Amino acid sequence: LIAFNNVSKHYQMGDTLVKAADDISMEINPGEFVAIVGRSGSGKSTCMNIIGCLDVPTSGEYILKGENVGALNKNELAEIRNKMLGFIFQQYNLLPKLTVLENVEVPLMYAGLSKADRRKKAIEALDMVQLSDKLTNMPNQLSGGQQQRVSIARALAGDPAIILADEPTGALDSKTSRDVLGLLQELHKDGHTIVLITHDNSIAVTAERIIRLEDGYVIYDGPADAP
Amino acid sequence: LIAFNNVSKHYQMGDTLVKAADDISMEINPGEFVAIVGRSGSGKSTCMNIIGCLDVPTSGEYILKGENVGALNKNELAEIRNKMLGFIFQQYNLLPKLTVLENVEVPLMYAGLSKADRRKKAIEALDMVQLSDKLTNMPNQLSGGQQQRVSIARALAGDPAIILADEPTGALDSKTSRDVLGLLQELHKDGHTIVLITHDNSIAVTAERIIRLEDGYVIYDGPADAP
Ligand SMILES: Nc1ncnc2c1ncn2[C@@H]1O[C@H](COP(=O)(O)OP(=O)(O)OP(=O)(O)O)[C@@H](O)[C@H]1O
Ligand SMILES: Nc1ncnc2c1ncn2[C@@H]1O[C@H](COP(=O)(O)OP(=O)(O)OP(=O)(O)O)[C@@H](O)[C@H]1O
Ligand SMILES: [Mg+2]
Ligand SMILES: [Mg+2]
C-alpha cells in the first residue's frame, strides 16, 4: 500500500547538508498499525509529510497504492490524497478564519458529499472527540488540547482508508488520550491502515509494528512487542 | 509571591457563559515547585496566562510580589513581566521572521544587557537544549520538538525568578523530556519558583505540590505525594 524506496530528504543549510530523511526503505501493508518513533528531530514528521503527499523526497521513490507519487500530476495527487488519507498534524494546522465545524467539513468536500451530509458527518466526528459544545468557536478560542481534537475529528470525519497521526495526543490529558487511542484501535479493527508517530513508548507498544528513526535513517523495523 | 483572590475568567459565547476560570483562590510562595493538572479545557492555560500577565481576570485579583497587577499601568506591568517571569508557551509562540538565536535574545533586551552579553546568554541557553547547530535556522525549518526547545531556551536565558511552563515537554521524546525536567529541578534547587502545567502524571509527581483544575475551578490543592 505504502512503500519507500531509498527515500531521502535533504536540506542545504549554508555549507551543512541536513539529512532529515536518509535513504529510507520500508513497506506498509493494508490494514497494518505501524508506530514511528525516535528522538526529537530524527525525521518522523519528514517521513509522514512525504507519505501524506505534502512533501516530495529529494531522491528515491514513494509508491502509494502501486502509483509512483512523484510521477503524478497535481490533480491526480490531490485526488488520491483527499480520498485515501486522513492527516492529524503535529501542529494541528487549523484554518484560523473558519469555525470548528467548518474546519472539519473542509476535507469532506472532496468526497463529493452533499452539504447536508458533510455537516452531519462533521457533527458526528466532533461529538466523537467531545467537542459538540464548540462547533461555532474559532480555533483561537480553544485550548491546546481542544485544537488537537478538532484536527483529529477533521482527519477521521471522511472515514479515510489510511490514517496518518503525527503525535495525536501530545496536548491531551491521560483520559482523553486513552479515548483517542481507543478510537484509532477501533478504526484499525475495522480494517483501516494506521501510521502513528509518537514519542510515548506506552503508546508505541499498542501498535503491531515499530519503525524507529535516528538522524533520518531506520535503526529498527519490526514487531512492537519484541524485546 | 503569586496570589489569586477569587479570580474568574468568563467568555460570553452567544447565550452560553463559558467559565474558563471559576472563582480560583490560591497562593504560591517563593521557591515552590507547583504542578497544575487537569483535563483538556479545564482552565490550566487560562490561569497561566493570568499569572504571566498576558491576560486579565474578568473578576477577582491577581497579586504578584505584593502588587495588585490589575492596578498597574502598562509600563509597570511590562517591567515586572520581563524582569521576573520566564514563560514557556503551550504553542511555543516563536517569532517567525527571526532566527532561532534572535528569538531567544528578544526577552534579554529588557534586562539591560549589552548586545554581546545577550548573544552569549542566548547561545548558552540553546546549548542547554542541544540546539547549538540550529542557531541560524528560521522557526519553520525546525521539527515540533525543536521549536518547543527554542521556547524553553528563550524562557530560561534571562534566569528569571519565576518560570511558567505550559506543557513544556508535550512534543519531546522521553530522553529529551527527562533532560528538560532535570533542568527545571536544578533551577528549583537554585531557588527559582516553578509553575508547571502538565497532563502527564509521572511529571506532576516530581513537583512539591499539585493544583488540580476541573471546569475552571480548583478540586485539589495539596502535596504531590498524597494518595
Ligand atoms: N477566547 C476564548 N473564547 C471562548 N472560550 C475560550 C477562549 N479561550 C479559552 N476558552 C475556553 O476556556 C476553557 C479553558 O481553556 P484553557 O486553554 O485554559 O484549557 P487548558 O486546561 O489549558 O486545556 P488544554 O489541556 O487542552 O491545553 C476551554 O473550554 C476553552 O474553550
Ligand atoms: N525546511 C527545513 N529546513 C531545514 N531543516 C529542516 C527543515 N524541515 C525540517 N528540518 C530538519 O529536519 C530534521 C527532522 O525534522 P522532523 O520534523 O522530521 O523531526 P521529528 O522527528 O518530527 O521531530 P519532533 O519529534 O521534534 O517533531 C530536523 O533536524 C529539522 O531541523
Ligand atoms: Mg515531528
Ligand atoms: Mg492549555
Side-chain angles (χ1 to χ4, degrees):
Chain A
L1 186 61
I2 288 172
F4 274 18
N5 297 333
N6 303 101
V7 163
S8 288
K9 181 75 187 178
H10 294 161
Y11 297 102
Q12 189 69 44
M13 308 298 291
D15 36 82
T16 317
L17 184 70
V18 173
K19 295 184 181 175
D22 190 4
D23 196 29
I24 296 181
S25 295
M26 57 87 176
E27 277 178 34
I28 297 177
N29 298 311
E32 270 197 286
F33 187 159
V34 183
I36 299 182
V37 301
R39 297 199 55 163
S40 171
S42 56
K44 308 180 293 294
S45 297
T46 297
C47 288
M48 199 72 128
N49 290 338
I50 292 171
I51 295 172
C53 303
L54 297 165
D55 200 3
V56 276
T58 317
S59 63
E61 296 162 337
Y62 166 40
I63 314 289
L64 176 61
K65 220 178 172 187
E67 300 273 1
N68 181 348
V69 171
L72 298 175
N73 67 45
K74 272 205 164 196
N75 289 335
E76 296 166 313
L77 197 60
E79 172 99 355
I80 279 193
R81 189 174 61 222
N82 291 311
K83 289 231 172 106
M84 291 187 64
L85 302 169
F87 207 136
I88 302 171
F89 295 93
Q90 184 169 11
Q91 314 226 17
Y92 325 147
N93 296 18
L94 301 182
L95 299 173
K97 299 213 174 97
L98 298 185
T99 65
V100 162
L101 186 61
E102 289 165 344
N103 259 285
V104 176
E105 289 174 330
V106 165
L108 299 176
M109 296 194 208
Y110 298 99
L113 297 171
S114 72
K115 191 164 176 338
D117 276 345
R118 291 202 301 272
R119 179 130 302 200
K120 178 162 171 297
K121 283 194 177 285
I123 289 174
E124 287 171 5
L126 285 160
D127 184 54
M128 218 165 47
V129 294
Q130 285 118 36
L131 287 177
S132 307
D133 59 341
K134 302 285 181 188
L135 301 185
T136 54
N137 283 42
M138 303 308 286
N140 67 355
Q141 295 174 325
L142 300 177
S143 75
Q146 289 166 343
Q147 290 177 27
Q148 187 161 46
R149 283 183 275 156
V150 176
S151 183
I152 292 166
R154 178 180 59 180
L156 305 185
D159 212 35
I162 302 172
I163 295 161
L164 306 177
D166 193 344
E167 313 225 16
T169 60
L172 303 177
D173 58 86
S174 40
K175 163 106 189 26
T176 317
S177 284
R178 280 198 296 275
D179 293 345
V180 167
L181 292 168
L183 258 181
L184 292 178
Q185 289 179 320
E186 254 180 73
L187 288 162
H188 177 232
K189 277 213 203 72
D190 295 345
H192 296 259
T193 307
I194 317 257
V195 186
L196 169 72
I197 291 176
T198 179
H199 52 69
D200 187 333
N201 259 333
S202 66
I203 294 176
V205 297
T206 68
E208 298 171 315
R209 171 178 160 210
I210 286 186
I211 295 175
R212 179 172 297 278
L213 300 180
E214 185 164 293
D215 296 328
Y217 53 87
V218 177
I219 60 170
Y220 176 83
D221 181 352
D225 50 14
Chain B
L1 186 61
I2 288 171
F4 274 17
N5 297 332
N6 303 102
V7 162
S8 288
K9 182 74 186 178
H10 294 162
Y11 297 101
Q12 189 69 44
M13 309 297 290
D15 35 82
T16 317
L17 184 70
V18 172
K19 295 185 182 173
D22 191 4
D23 197 28
I24 296 181
S25 294
M26 56 88 176
E27 278 179 34
I28 297 176
N29 298 310
E32 271 197 284
F33 187 159
V34 182
I36 298 181
V37 301
R39 297 199 55 164
S40 171
S42 56
K44 307 180 293 296
S45 298
T46 297
C47 287
M48 198 72 128
N49 291 338
I50 292 171
I51 295 174
C53 303
L54 297 164
D55 200 3
V56 276
T58 317
S59 64
E61 297 161 337
Y62 166 40
I63 314 287
L64 176 62
K65 223 179 169 186
E67 300 274 0
N68 180 348
V69 170
L72 298 175
N73 67 44
K74 272 205 164 198
N75 289 335
E76 295 167 314
L77 197 59
E79 172 99 356
I80 279 193
R81 189 174 63 223
N82 290 309
K83 289 232 171 104
M84 290 187 63
L85 302 169
F87 207 136
I88 302 170
F89 296 93
Q90 184 170 12
Q91 315 227 18
Y92 323 148
N93 295 17
L94 301 182
L95 299 173
K97 300 213 174 97
L98 298 186
T99 65
V100 162
L101 187 61
E102 289 165 344
N103 259 285
V104 176
E105 288 173 331
V106 165
L108 300 176
M109 297 195 208
Y110 298 98
L113 297 171
S114 71
K115 190 159 174 350
D117 276 345
R118 293 202 300 273
R119 178 128 303 200
K120 178 161 171 296
K121 282 194 178 287
I123 289 174
E124 288 172 4
L126 285 160
D127 184 53
M128 215 165 49
V129 294
Q130 286 119 35
L131 288 177
S132 307
D133 60 340
K134 301 285 182 189
L135 300 185
T136 53
N137 282 41
M138 303 307 286
N140 68 355
Q141 295 174 326
L142 300 177
S143 76
Q146 289 166 342
Q147 292 178 26
Q148 188 161 45
R149 283 183 273 154
V150 176
S151 183
I152 292 165
R154 179 180 59 180
L156 304 186
D159 212 35
I162 302 172
I163 295 160
L164 306 177
D166 193 344
E167 312 225 16
T169 60
L172 302 177
D173 57 86
S174 39
K175 163 105 187 31
T176 317
S177 284
R178 281 197 296 275
D179 293 346
V180 167
L181 292 168
L183 257 181
L184 292 179
Q185 289 178 320
E186 254 181 71
L187 288 161
H188 178 232
K189 276 212 205 73
D190 294 346
H192 295 259
T193 308
I194 317 258
V195 185
L196 168 72
I197 291 177
T198 178
H199 52 68
D200 186 333
N201 259 333
S202 65
I203 294 178
V205 297
T206 68
E208 299 173 313
R209 170 178 160 209
I210 287 185
I211 296 175
R212 178 172 297 276
L213 300 180
E214 185 163 294
D215 296 328
Y217 53 88
V218 176
I219 59 169
Y220 176 83
D221 181 352
D225 49 14

